[in-house]
Amino acid sequence: MLSQKSASIKSSAVRELLKYSKVPGIISLAGGIPATDLIDVDGIDITIREILAKEHRNLFQYSVTEGEENFRYQIANWIKDFNFKINPENILITNGSQQAIDLLNRVFLDKGDKVLVERPTYLAALQLFGYSDVEVVELDYTNDKLDLNSLEIVLKKGGVKMLYLTPNFANPSGKTIDYETRVGIIKLTHRHNVVIIEDDPYGFLRFSGEFIKSLFTIAQEIYGENHNVCYMSSFSKIFSPGLRLGWTAIPSKFIQAVVVAKQALDLHTSTLNQNIAAHYIESGKLNTRLDLLKNTYKKRRDLLINSLNKYVGDELSFNVPQGGMFLWCHLRSNINAKILLEESINENVIFVPGEVFFAHNPERNSLRLSYSMISSENSDSAAYRIFKSISKLKSNKTVLSN
């Protein structure tokens, strides 16, 4: 009964692992989710009481597809602090940034088009591209930089419609694209009339290093309003994932087509949830919360790194990201991370095997560790359990990553 396309799309490995995170005793390094203990429940409660204390009948009514006017204004005003200028009229509110990827996918892509992605890249984006019958082409990093020469070669071959990037603390790699490379990417894609989808759910969680302008902002500075960058972000990682609030900034020449696509999909995003977030931003609580999030995630990153160095430093190599939520790791023994996960579940620790983040030829000895939920009480235990799992596989000579 299922369509051929639906039958061929696999469930997210990350979502499948969530069932284990509910098991008592399991330490989860798998979910790319914000720390539950850092959600500002008290601040959200105050916000809800304040907006419900006023005339609020319209909060339970339909809204406009673009999003609540005040919410879009608050976003445009707040984002100025990050050297980002956008008119509220060019902002579209979505049900999480995941929907923004889906909408732009529908608006820009035709069957057979080429979509360029980083290698590795966000799993859910690969799932969505799978529904579109497009050709996904991976772009490699050379010396920790996106290879502009390779990008130019691919663009010259033709057929490329879209470049999808997560330029800040990418999921899963934790990589950040430097300023000079961003400029090069924008100029090359503009020359070849390729749209850039800039996915930035983690950019506000920088806890070291220098701030880098968004691709959207750089493109504005170079080409004015005639640029081809669509920016998206989310309040899931910095406010509340349960409210399902994302947003996208879109050049005027594209905005109406994306609005029409959302009209067809779900009419609009929750009126009540938008007003909660708008009031929270206007109160100044969000910036205060961001400071707490950044400080805490930095401590948790360092906790996990110290524990890994203590127990598996000889077995595991990994990056040290300047923000976000993830360590991108490689097993030195060339063990298949999927097999390691099976053993690690027996040791009550879980992570995401890296192979799911590749469109082609996956690195089977790679894995993603999330530190957002780690604590001083369980960090050492998590690392030691991974060490025990590796040791068991090595003793059984289970080291092939093919």
Side-chain angles (χ1 to χ4, degrees):
M1 294 292 288
L2 295 177
S3 69
Q4 290 182 355
K5 184 57 59 183
S6 181
S8 68
I9 303 297
K10 297 180 181 179
S11 175
S12 165
V14 180
R15 306 302 297 180
E16 290 296 314
L17 284 169
L18 280 178
K19 62 184 179 184
Y20 291 106
S21 67
K22 305 297 183 182
V23 177
I26 286 273
I27 301 174
S28 177
L29 305 176
I33 61 176
T36 306
D37 62 302
L38 295 180
I39 295 175
D40 185 14
V41 176
D42 292 338
I44 294 172
D45 286 347
I46 292 170
T47 298
I48 293 173
R49 286 198 296 270
E50 288 177 348
I51 64 175
L52 294 182
K54 305 173 184 178
E55 169 56 44
H56 55 270
R57 193 176 301 272
N58 286 335
L59 299 184
F60 302 98
Q61 184 55 276
Y62 284 116
S63 182
V64 296
T65 300
E66 292 85 346
E68 289 284 283
E69 182 177 356
N70 184 47
F71 188 28
R72 288 181 287 135
Y73 170 80
Q74 294 301 332
I75 292 172
N77 190 52
W78 169 70
I79 200 73
K80 289 177 184 176
D81 292 340
F82 299 90
N83 202 5
F84 195 109
K85 296 179 181 179
I86 185 69
N87 293 321
E89 294 78 15
N90 291 91
I91 292 176
L92 174 69
I93 306 302
T94 58
N95 284 306
S97 59
Q98 185 79 16
Q99 186 185 56
I101 302 173
D102 185 23
L103 291 172
L104 296 170
N105 191 348
R106 293 167 185 263
V107 166
F108 288 109
L109 297 178
D110 293 309
K111 183 178 180 179
D113 284 339
K114 292 179 183 177
V115 177
L116 308 184
V117 301
E118 300 160 277
R119 176 180 168 84
T121 195
Y122 179 41
L123 168 59
L126 291 177
Q127 286 181 304
L128 284 170
F129 296 142
Y131 275 104
S132 300
D133 287 318
V134 296
E135 179 184 350
V136 177
V137 179
E138 295 177 314
L139 298 173
D140 282 314
Y141 278 76
T142 302
N143 297 324
D144 257 359
K145 289 191 175 186
L146 195 70
D147 193 328
L148 291 178
N149 290 328
S150 296
L151 173 59
E152 186 169 19
I153 290 170
V154 173
L155 290 173
K156 284 182 176 179
K157 290 180 180 178
V160 178
K161 181 70 72 69
M162 177 185 289
L163 169 58
Y164 170 80
L165 294 172
T166 308
N168 296 311
F169 325 122
N171 179 6
S173 70
K175 291 183 183 294
T176 294
I177 300 175
D178 64 273
Y179 177 80
E180 291 74 17
T181 303
R182 295 184 190 208
V183 172
I185 289 169
I186 290 164
K187 290 183 176 180
L188 281 172
T189 53
H190 192 86
R191 189 183 309 156
H192 291 272
N193 200 31
V194 171
V195 65
I196 295 176
I197 307 304
E198 180 178 15
D199 193 1
D200 190 28
Y202 308 104
F204 305 107
L205 296 176
R206 172 179 285 280
F207 35 74
S208 63
E210 295 296 322
F211 168 81
I212 305 173
K213 291 180 183 178
S214 68
L215 292 158
F216 187 94
T217 298
I218 297 169
Q220 276 184 324
E221 292 173 350
I222 298 174
Y223 299 109
E225 294 305 309
N226 191 38
H227 69 88
N228 295 326
V229 180
C230 296
Y231 175 95
M232 67 182 69
S233 190
S234 169
F235 288 97
S236 294
K237 304 301 187 290
I238 61 174
F239 180 43
S240 165
L243 292 180
R244 306 306 304 132
L245 291 172
W247 62 281
T248 180
I250 303 173
S252 298
K253 59 186 178 181
F254 301 140
I255 184 69
Q256 187 56 32
V258 185
V259 170
V260 171
K262 182 168 171 64
Q263 284 175 352
L265 202 61
D266 68 354
L267 294 182
H268 68 86
T269 299
S270 165
T271 309
L272 176 60
N273 291 356
Q274 289 185 66
N275 278 275
I276 292 171
H279 191 84
Y280 190 88
I281 296 170
E282 189 173 9
S283 72
K285 292 184 180 71
L286 182 58
N287 283 338
T288 302
R289 205 67 190 176
L290 276 177
D291 290 336
L292 174 64
L293 292 175
K294 290 185 288 187
N295 290 333
T296 305
Y297 285 144
K298 182 180 186 298
K299 291 177 182 176
R300 294 183 181 183
R301 178 202 66 179
D302 294 343
L303 264 177
L304 184 56
I305 286 175
N306 290 337
S307 296
L308 292 173
N309 283 330
K310 183 177 179 180
Y311 290 104
V312 288
D314 294 335
E315 302 290 349
L316 201 67
S317 64
F318 50 85
N319 64 332
V320 180
Q322 295 182 327
M325 297 181 173
F326 308 111
L327 300 183
W328 181 238
C329 312
H330 288 85
L331 292 153
R332 300 184 195 276
S333 300
N334 213 31
I335 292 173
N336 187 321
K338 194 171 182 179
I339 297 174
L340 177 62
L341 174 63
E342 295 172 5
E343 186 61 48
S344 295
I345 291 172
N346 295 329
E347 295 293 339
N348 286 333
V349 63
I350 58 174
F351 55 82
V352 183
E355 65 178 54
V356 300
F357 300 104
F358 294 89
H360 315 288
N361 304 314
E363 296 174 356
R364 300 194 190 278
N365 68 326
S366 63
L367 57 146
R368 189 195 75 181
L369 303 180
S370 172
Y371 48 80
S372 64
M373 301 285 281
I374 207 73
S375 70
S376 57
E377 287 75 29
N378 65 16
S379 183
D380 274 0
S381 295
Y384 181 66
R385 292 176 190 184
I386 292 173
F387 167 74
K388 286 180 65 178
S389 302
I390 294 172
S391 298
K392 286 183 180 179
L393 293 181
K394 288 180 71 175
S395 67
N396 295 329
K397 301 189 184 327
T398 311
V399 296
L400 296 179
S401 62
N402 294 325

PDB file of all heavy atoms in Angstrom, residues 43-61 270-277 279-280:
ATOM      1  N   GLY A  43      10.698  30.760  33.797  1.00  0.00           N
ATOM      2  CA  GLY A  43      10.525  31.910  32.910  1.00  0.00           C
ATOM      3  C   GLY A  43       9.378  31.718  31.937  1.00  0.00           C
ATOM      4  O   GLY A  43       8.633  32.658  31.637  1.00  0.00           O
ATOM      5  N   ILE A  44       9.211  30.489  31.437  1.00  0.00           N
ATOM      6  CA  ILE A  44       8.114  30.195  30.518  1.00  0.00           C
ATOM      7  C   ILE A  44       6.780  30.272  31.251  1.00  0.00           C
ATOM      8  O   ILE A  44       5.793  30.817  30.723  1.00  0.00           O
ATOM      9  CB  ILE A  44       8.310  28.808  29.866  1.00  0.00           C
ATOM     10  CG1 ILE A  44       9.557  28.823  28.971  1.00  0.00           C
ATOM     11  CG2 ILE A  44       7.082  28.420  29.044  1.00  0.00           C
ATOM     12  CD1 ILE A  44       9.957  27.460  28.443  1.00  0.00           C
ATOM     13  N   ASP A  45       6.739  29.762  32.492  1.00  0.00           N
ATOM     14  CA  ASP A  45       5.511  29.844  33.286  1.00  0.00           C
ATOM     15  C   ASP A  45       5.092  31.302  33.496  1.00  0.00           C
ATOM     16  O   ASP A  45       3.913  31.655  33.352  1.00  0.00           O
ATOM     17  CB  ASP A  45       5.712  29.180  34.654  1.00  0.00           C
ATOM     18  CG  ASP A  45       5.749  27.661  34.569  1.00  0.00           C
ATOM     19  OD1 ASP A  45       5.386  27.125  33.508  1.00  0.00           O
ATOM     20  OD2 ASP A  45       6.145  27.018  35.558  1.00  0.00           O
ATOM     21  N   ILE A  46       6.064  32.149  33.843  1.00  0.00           N
ATOM     22  CA  ILE A  46       5.773  33.574  34.048  1.00  0.00           C
ATOM     23  C   ILE A  46       5.253  34.193  32.757  1.00  0.00           C
ATOM     24  O   ILE A  46       4.271  34.952  32.755  1.00  0.00           O
ATOM     25  CB  ILE A  46       7.035  34.316  34.534  1.00  0.00           C
ATOM     26  CG1 ILE A  46       7.404  33.869  35.955  1.00  0.00           C
ATOM     27  CG2 ILE A  46       6.831  35.832  34.480  1.00  0.00           C
ATOM     28  CD1 ILE A  46       8.759  34.369  36.420  1.00  0.00           C
ATOM     29  N   THR A  47       5.897  33.859  31.650  1.00  0.00           N
ATOM     30  CA  THR A  47       5.495  34.404  30.354  1.00  0.00           C
ATOM     31  C   THR A  47       4.066  34.019  30.016  1.00  0.00           C
ATOM     32  O   THR A  47       3.260  34.862  29.576  1.00  0.00           O
ATOM     33  CB  THR A  47       6.449  33.891  29.251  1.00  0.00           C
ATOM     34  OG1 THR A  47       7.774  34.336  29.524  1.00  0.00           O
ATOM     35  CG2 THR A  47       6.014  34.380  27.880  1.00  0.00           C
ATOM     36  N   ILE A  48       3.718  32.761  30.215  1.00  0.00           N
ATOM     37  CA  ILE A  48       2.364  32.297  29.901  1.00  0.00           C
ATOM     38  C   ILE A  48       1.339  33.002  30.783  1.00  0.00           C
ATOM     39  O   ILE A  48       0.282  33.444  30.309  1.00  0.00           O
ATOM     40  CB  ILE A  48       2.273  30.770  30.057  1.00  0.00           C
ATOM     41  CG1 ILE A  48       3.124  30.084  28.977  1.00  0.00           C
ATOM     42  CG2 ILE A  48       0.817  30.301  29.969  1.00  0.00           C
ATOM     43  CD1 ILE A  48       3.235  28.583  29.147  1.00  0.00           C
ATOM     44  N   ARG A  49       1.649  33.128  32.070  1.00  0.00           N
ATOM     45  CA  ARG A  49       0.704  33.815  32.973  1.00  0.00           C
ATOM     46  C   ARG A  49       0.502  35.265  32.553  1.00  0.00           C
ATOM     47  O   ARG A  49      -0.619  35.790  32.607  1.00  0.00           O
ATOM     48  CB  ARG A  49       1.212  33.747  34.412  1.00  0.00           C
ATOM     49  CG  ARG A  49       1.064  32.377  35.069  1.00  0.00           C
ATOM     50  CD  ARG A  49       1.159  32.467  36.589  1.00  0.00           C
ATOM     51  NE  ARG A  49       2.464  32.935  37.026  1.00  0.00           N
ATOM     52  CZ  ARG A  49       3.499  32.135  37.287  1.00  0.00           C
ATOM     53  NH1 ARG A  49       3.367  30.824  37.151  1.00  0.00           N
ATOM     54  NH2 ARG A  49       4.645  32.634  37.700  1.00  0.00           N
ATOM     55  N   GLU A  50       1.585  35.915  32.132  1.00  0.00           N
ATOM     56  CA  GLU A  50       1.489  37.328  31.738  1.00  0.00           C
ATOM     57  C   GLU A  50       0.651  37.510  30.480  1.00  0.00           C
ATOM     58  O   GLU A  50      -0.166  38.442  30.403  1.00  0.00           O
ATOM     59  CB  GLU A  50       2.888  37.910  31.541  1.00  0.00           C
ATOM     60  CG  GLU A  50       3.643  38.111  32.857  1.00  0.00           C
ATOM     61  CD  GLU A  50       5.060  38.618  32.655  1.00  0.00           C
ATOM     62  OE1 GLU A  50       5.552  38.597  31.498  1.00  0.00           O
ATOM     63  OE2 GLU A  50       5.694  39.021  33.644  1.00  0.00           O
ATOM     64  N   ILE A  51       0.823  36.636  29.499  1.00  0.00           N
ATOM     65  CA  ILE A  51       0.050  36.835  28.265  1.00  0.00           C
ATOM     66  C   ILE A  51      -1.405  36.408  28.448  1.00  0.00           C
ATOM     67  O   ILE A  51      -2.309  36.959  27.805  1.00  0.00           O
ATOM     68  CB  ILE A  51       0.679  36.113  27.047  1.00  0.00           C
ATOM     69  CG1 ILE A  51       0.677  34.595  27.232  1.00  0.00           C
ATOM     70  CG2 ILE A  51       2.076  36.634  26.771  1.00  0.00           C
ATOM     71  CD1 ILE A  51       1.173  33.855  25.996  1.00  0.00           C
ATOM     72  N   LEU A  52      -1.655  35.458  29.349  1.00  0.00           N
ATOM     73  CA  LEU A  52      -3.033  35.036  29.589  1.00  0.00           C
ATOM     74  C   LEU A  52      -3.777  35.980  30.527  1.00  0.00           C
ATOM     75  O   LEU A  52      -5.012  35.941  30.622  1.00  0.00           O
ATOM     76  CB  LEU A  52      -3.070  33.618  30.159  1.00  0.00           C
ATOM     77  CG  LEU A  52      -2.599  32.497  29.226  1.00  0.00           C
ATOM     78  CD1 LEU A  52      -2.746  31.143  29.903  1.00  0.00           C
ATOM     79  CD2 LEU A  52      -3.374  32.515  27.898  1.00  0.00           C
ATOM     80  N   ALA A  53      -3.029  36.848  31.217  1.00  0.00           N
ATOM     81  CA  ALA A  53      -3.661  37.820  32.108  1.00  0.00           C
ATOM     82  C   ALA A  53      -4.324  38.949  31.325  1.00  0.00           C
ATOM     83  O   ALA A  53      -5.156  39.685  31.871  1.00  0.00           O
ATOM     84  CB  ALA A  53      -2.633  38.394  33.079  1.00  0.00           C
ATOM     85  N   LYS A  54      -3.962  39.081  30.049  1.00  0.00           N
ATOM     86  CA  LYS A  54      -4.540  40.102  29.189  1.00  0.00           C
ATOM     87  C   LYS A  54      -5.630  39.463  28.325  1.00  0.00           C
ATOM     88  O   LYS A  54      -5.818  38.245  28.327  1.00  0.00           O
ATOM     89  CB  LYS A  54      -3.460  40.734  28.311  1.00  0.00           C
ATOM     90  CG  LYS A  54      -2.280  41.313  29.093  1.00  0.00           C
ATOM     91  CD  LYS A  54      -1.174  41.761  28.144  1.00  0.00           C
ATOM     92  CE  LYS A  54       0.052  42.247  28.910  1.00  0.00           C
ATOM     93  NZ  LYS A  54       1.160  42.632  27.995  1.00  0.00           N
ATOM     94  N   GLU A  55      -6.317  40.277  27.553  1.00  0.00           N
ATOM     95  CA  GLU A  55      -7.291  39.750  26.599  1.00  0.00           C
ATOM     96  C   GLU A  55      -6.551  38.822  25.633  1.00  0.00           C
ATOM     97  O   GLU A  55      -5.625  39.233  24.929  1.00  0.00           O
ATOM     98  CB  GLU A  55      -7.964  40.889  25.838  1.00  0.00           C
ATOM     99  CG  GLU A  55      -8.806  40.442  24.644  1.00  0.00           C
ATOM    100  CD  GLU A  55      -9.884  39.427  25.036  1.00  0.00           C
ATOM    101  OE1 GLU A  55     -10.548  39.624  26.069  1.00  0.00           O
ATOM    102  OE2 GLU A  55     -10.038  38.452  24.294  1.00  0.00           O
ATOM    103  N   HIS A  56      -6.956  37.571  25.602  1.00  0.00           N
ATOM    104  CA  HIS A  56      -6.154  36.596  24.855  1.00  0.00           C
ATOM    105  C   HIS A  56      -6.984  35.674  23.964  1.00  0.00           C
ATOM    106  O   HIS A  56      -6.532  34.602  23.568  1.00  0.00           O
ATOM    107  CB  HIS A  56      -5.319  35.755  25.829  1.00  0.00           C
ATOM    108  CG  HIS A  56      -6.130  35.069  26.886  1.00  0.00           C
ATOM    109  ND1 HIS A  56      -6.399  35.652  28.104  1.00  0.00           N
ATOM    110  CD2 HIS A  56      -6.734  33.862  26.907  1.00  0.00           C
ATOM    111  CE1 HIS A  56      -7.128  34.822  28.835  1.00  0.00           C
ATOM    112  NE2 HIS A  56      -7.346  33.727  28.128  1.00  0.00           N
ATOM    113  N   ARG A  57      -8.180  36.079  23.641  1.00  0.00           N
ATOM    114  CA  ARG A  57      -9.028  35.245  22.798  1.00  0.00           C
ATOM    115  C   ARG A  57      -8.355  34.932  21.456  1.00  0.00           C
ATOM    116  O   ARG A  57      -8.442  33.816  20.937  1.00  0.00           O
ATOM    117  CB  ARG A  57     -10.375  35.954  22.571  1.00  0.00           C
ATOM    118  CG  ARG A  57     -11.458  35.057  21.979  1.00  0.00           C
ATOM    119  CD  ARG A  57     -12.769  35.825  21.899  1.00  0.00           C
ATOM    120  NE  ARG A  57     -13.188  36.282  23.226  1.00  0.00           N
ATOM    121  CZ  ARG A  57     -13.927  35.546  24.059  1.00  0.00           C
ATOM    122  NH1 ARG A  57     -14.317  34.346  23.707  1.00  0.00           N
ATOM    123  NH2 ARG A  57     -14.271  36.027  25.225  1.00  0.00           N
ATOM    124  N   ASN A  58      -7.642  35.924  20.900  1.00  0.00           N
ATOM    125  CA  ASN A  58      -7.018  35.734  19.591  1.00  0.00           C
ATOM    126  C   ASN A  58      -5.844  34.739  19.611  1.00  0.00           C
ATOM    127  O   ASN A  58      -5.406  34.271  18.559  1.00  0.00           O
ATOM    128  CB  ASN A  58      -6.522  37.074  19.037  1.00  0.00           C
ATOM    129  CG  ASN A  58      -7.663  37.946  18.547  1.00  0.00           C
ATOM    130  OD1 ASN A  58      -8.730  37.424  18.187  1.00  0.00           O
ATOM    131  ND2 ASN A  58      -7.451  39.249  18.524  1.00  0.00           N
ATOM    132  N   LEU A  59      -5.346  34.441  20.813  1.00  0.00           N
ATOM    133  CA  LEU A  59      -4.246  33.465  20.886  1.00  0.00           C
ATOM    134  C   LEU A  59      -4.699  32.072  20.496  1.00  0.00           C
ATOM    135  O   LEU A  59      -3.874  31.198  20.210  1.00  0.00           O
ATOM    136  CB  LEU A  59      -3.665  33.432  22.308  1.00  0.00           C
ATOM    137  CG  LEU A  59      -3.058  34.726  22.848  1.00  0.00           C
ATOM    138  CD1 LEU A  59      -2.444  34.476  24.220  1.00  0.00           C
ATOM    139  CD2 LEU A  59      -2.021  35.284  21.895  1.00  0.00           C
ATOM    140  N   PHE A  60      -6.014  31.842  20.482  1.00  0.00           N
ATOM    141  CA  PHE A  60      -6.557  30.533  20.159  1.00  0.00           C
ATOM    142  C   PHE A  60      -7.272  30.536  18.803  1.00  0.00           C
ATOM    143  O   PHE A  60      -8.027  29.613  18.483  1.00  0.00           O
ATOM    144  CB  PHE A  60      -7.514  30.086  21.271  1.00  0.00           C
ATOM    145  CG  PHE A  60      -6.846  30.033  22.610  1.00  0.00           C
ATOM    146  CD1 PHE A  60      -6.973  31.086  23.505  1.00  0.00           C
ATOM    147  CD2 PHE A  60      -6.045  28.962  22.966  1.00  0.00           C
ATOM    148  CE1 PHE A  60      -6.342  31.056  24.746  1.00  0.00           C
ATOM    149  CE2 PHE A  60      -5.407  28.920  24.201  1.00  0.00           C
ATOM    150  CZ  PHE A  60      -5.542  29.972  25.086  1.00  0.00           C
ATOM    151  N   GLN A  61      -6.962  31.558  18.009  1.00  0.00           N
ATOM    152  CA  GLN A  61      -7.561  31.715  16.688  1.00  0.00           C
ATOM    153  C   GLN A  61      -6.523  31.393  15.616  1.00  0.00           C
ATOM    154  O   GLN A  61      -5.324  31.292  15.886  1.00  0.00           O
ATOM    155  CB  GLN A  61      -8.083  33.164  16.536  1.00  0.00           C
ATOM    156  CG  GLN A  61      -8.818  33.483  15.254  1.00  0.00           C
ATOM    157  CD  GLN A  61      -9.982  32.569  14.974  1.00  0.00           C
ATOM    158  OE1 GLN A  61      -9.774  31.485  14.428  1.00  0.00           O
ATOM    159  NE2 GLN A  61     -11.197  32.998  15.354  1.00  0.00           N
ATOM    160  N   SER A 270       1.567  27.399  15.335  1.00  0.00           N
ATOM    161  CA  SER A 270       0.719  27.664  16.495  1.00  0.00           C
ATOM    162  C   SER A 270       0.733  29.131  16.928  1.00  0.00           C
ATOM    163  O   SER A 270       1.784  29.697  17.238  1.00  0.00           O
ATOM    164  CB  SER A 270       1.183  26.793  17.677  1.00  0.00           C
ATOM    165  OG  SER A 270       0.631  27.255  18.897  1.00  0.00           O
ATOM    166  N   THR A 271      -0.436  29.734  16.965  1.00  0.00           N
ATOM    167  CA  THR A 271      -0.582  31.131  17.376  1.00  0.00           C
ATOM    168  C   THR A 271      -0.135  31.325  18.824  1.00  0.00           C
ATOM    169  O   THR A 271       0.606  32.257  19.151  1.00  0.00           O
ATOM    170  CB  THR A 271      -2.052  31.569  17.225  1.00  0.00           C
ATOM    171  OG1 THR A 271      -2.519  31.235  15.926  1.00  0.00           O
ATOM    172  CG2 THR A 271      -2.193  33.067  17.448  1.00  0.00           C
ATOM    173  N   LEU A 272      -0.578  30.439  19.693  1.00  0.00           N
ATOM    174  CA  LEU A 272      -0.236  30.543  21.114  1.00  0.00           C
ATOM    175  C   LEU A 272       1.271  30.416  21.329  1.00  0.00           C
ATOM    176  O   LEU A 272       1.877  31.234  22.037  1.00  0.00           O
ATOM    177  CB  LEU A 272      -0.965  29.463  21.917  1.00  0.00           C
ATOM    178  CG  LEU A 272      -0.630  29.375  23.411  1.00  0.00           C
ATOM    179  CD1 LEU A 272      -0.976  30.685  24.113  1.00  0.00           C
ATOM    180  CD2 LEU A 272      -1.350  28.195  24.056  1.00  0.00           C
ATOM    181  N   ASN A 273       1.883  29.433  20.712  1.00  0.00           N
ATOM    182  CA  ASN A 273       3.314  29.222  20.913  1.00  0.00           C
ATOM    183  C   ASN A 273       4.149  30.392  20.408  1.00  0.00           C
ATOM    184  O   ASN A 273       5.156  30.772  21.019  1.00  0.00           O
ATOM    185  CB  ASN A 273       3.754  27.931  20.218  1.00  0.00           C
ATOM    186  CG  ASN A 273       3.190  26.703  20.894  1.00  0.00           C
ATOM    187  OD1 ASN A 273       2.540  26.788  21.924  1.00  0.00           O
ATOM    188  ND2 ASN A 273       3.438  25.543  20.312  1.00  0.00           N
ATOM    189  N   GLN A 274       3.727  30.975  19.289  1.00  0.00           N
ATOM    190  CA  GLN A 274       4.445  32.143  18.768  1.00  0.00           C
ATOM    191  C   GLN A 274       4.388  33.301  19.755  1.00  0.00           C
ATOM    192  O   GLN A 274       5.378  34.003  19.966  1.00  0.00           O
ATOM    193  CB  GLN A 274       3.845  32.577  17.427  1.00  0.00           C
ATOM    194  CG  GLN A 274       4.114  31.636  16.275  1.00  0.00           C
ATOM    195  CD  GLN A 274       3.577  32.205  14.974  1.00  0.00           C
ATOM    196  OE1 GLN A 274       4.063  33.233  14.482  1.00  0.00           O
ATOM    197  NE2 GLN A 274       2.571  31.561  14.405  1.00  0.00           N
ATOM    198  N   ASN A 275       3.235  33.495  20.351  1.00  0.00           N
ATOM    199  CA  ASN A 275       3.082  34.606  21.296  1.00  0.00           C
ATOM    200  C   ASN A 275       3.869  34.370  22.578  1.00  0.00           C
ATOM    201  O   ASN A 275       4.394  35.319  23.171  1.00  0.00           O
ATOM    202  CB  ASN A 275       1.602  34.838  21.587  1.00  0.00           C
ATOM    203  CG  ASN A 275       0.921  35.685  20.523  1.00  0.00           C
ATOM    204  OD1 ASN A 275       0.967  36.912  20.569  1.00  0.00           O
ATOM    205  ND2 ASN A 275       0.329  35.019  19.544  1.00  0.00           N
ATOM    206  N   ILE A 276       3.964  33.133  23.002  1.00  0.00           N
ATOM    207  CA  ILE A 276       4.801  32.822  24.164  1.00  0.00           C
ATOM    208  C   ILE A 276       6.240  33.214  23.887  1.00  0.00           C
ATOM    209  O   ILE A 276       6.897  33.882  24.694  1.00  0.00           O
ATOM    210  CB  ILE A 276       4.698  31.320  24.514  1.00  0.00           C
ATOM    211  CG1 ILE A 276       3.294  30.978  25.025  1.00  0.00           C
ATOM    212  CG2 ILE A 276       5.755  30.944  25.556  1.00  0.00           C
ATOM    213  CD1 ILE A 276       3.039  29.495  25.174  1.00  0.00           C
ATOM    214  N   ALA A 277       6.760  32.790  22.741  1.00  0.00           N
ATOM    215  CA  ALA A 277       8.149  33.081  22.393  1.00  0.00           C
ATOM    216  C   ALA A 277       8.383  34.577  22.183  1.00  0.00           C
ATOM    217  O   ALA A 277       9.409  35.121  22.615  1.00  0.00           O
ATOM    218  CB  ALA A 277       8.556  32.310  21.141  1.00  0.00           C
ATOM    219  N   HIS A 279       6.826  37.111  23.556  1.00  0.00           N
ATOM    220  CA  HIS A 279       6.826  37.787  24.859  1.00  0.00           C
ATOM    221  C   HIS A 279       8.113  37.480  25.624  1.00  0.00           C
ATOM    222  O   HIS A 279       8.672  38.354  26.295  1.00  0.00           O
ATOM    223  CB  HIS A 279       5.598  37.339  25.671  1.00  0.00           C
ATOM    224  CG  HIS A 279       5.353  38.144  26.908  1.00  0.00           C
ATOM    225  ND1 HIS A 279       4.660  39.336  26.899  1.00  0.00           N
ATOM    226  CD2 HIS A 279       5.726  37.947  28.191  1.00  0.00           C
ATOM    227  CE1 HIS A 279       4.613  39.835  28.125  1.00  0.00           C
ATOM    228  NE2 HIS A 279       5.257  39.002  28.931  1.00  0.00           N
ATOM    229  N   TYR A 280       8.596  36.245  25.512  1.00  0.00           N
ATOM    230  CA  TYR A 280       9.821  35.826  26.195  1.00  0.00           C
ATOM    231  C   TYR A 280      11.018  36.611  25.664  1.00  0.00           C
ATOM    232  O   TYR A 280      11.858  37.088  26.436  1.00  0.00           O
ATOM    233  CB  TYR A 280      10.024  34.327  25.984  1.00  0.00           C
ATOM    234  CG  TYR A 280      11.118  33.711  26.830  1.00  0.00           C
ATOM    235  CD1 TYR A 280      10.853  33.226  28.100  1.00  0.00           C
ATOM    236  CD2 TYR A 280      12.411  33.589  26.342  1.00  0.00           C
ATOM    237  CE1 TYR A 280      11.839  32.643  28.874  1.00  0.00           C
ATOM    238  CE2 TYR A 280      13.414  33.007  27.105  1.00  0.00           C
ATOM    239  CZ  TYR A 280      13.126  32.537  28.367  1.00  0.00           C
ATOM    240  OH  TYR A 280      14.119  31.964  29.126  1.00  0.00           O
TER     241      TYR A 280
END
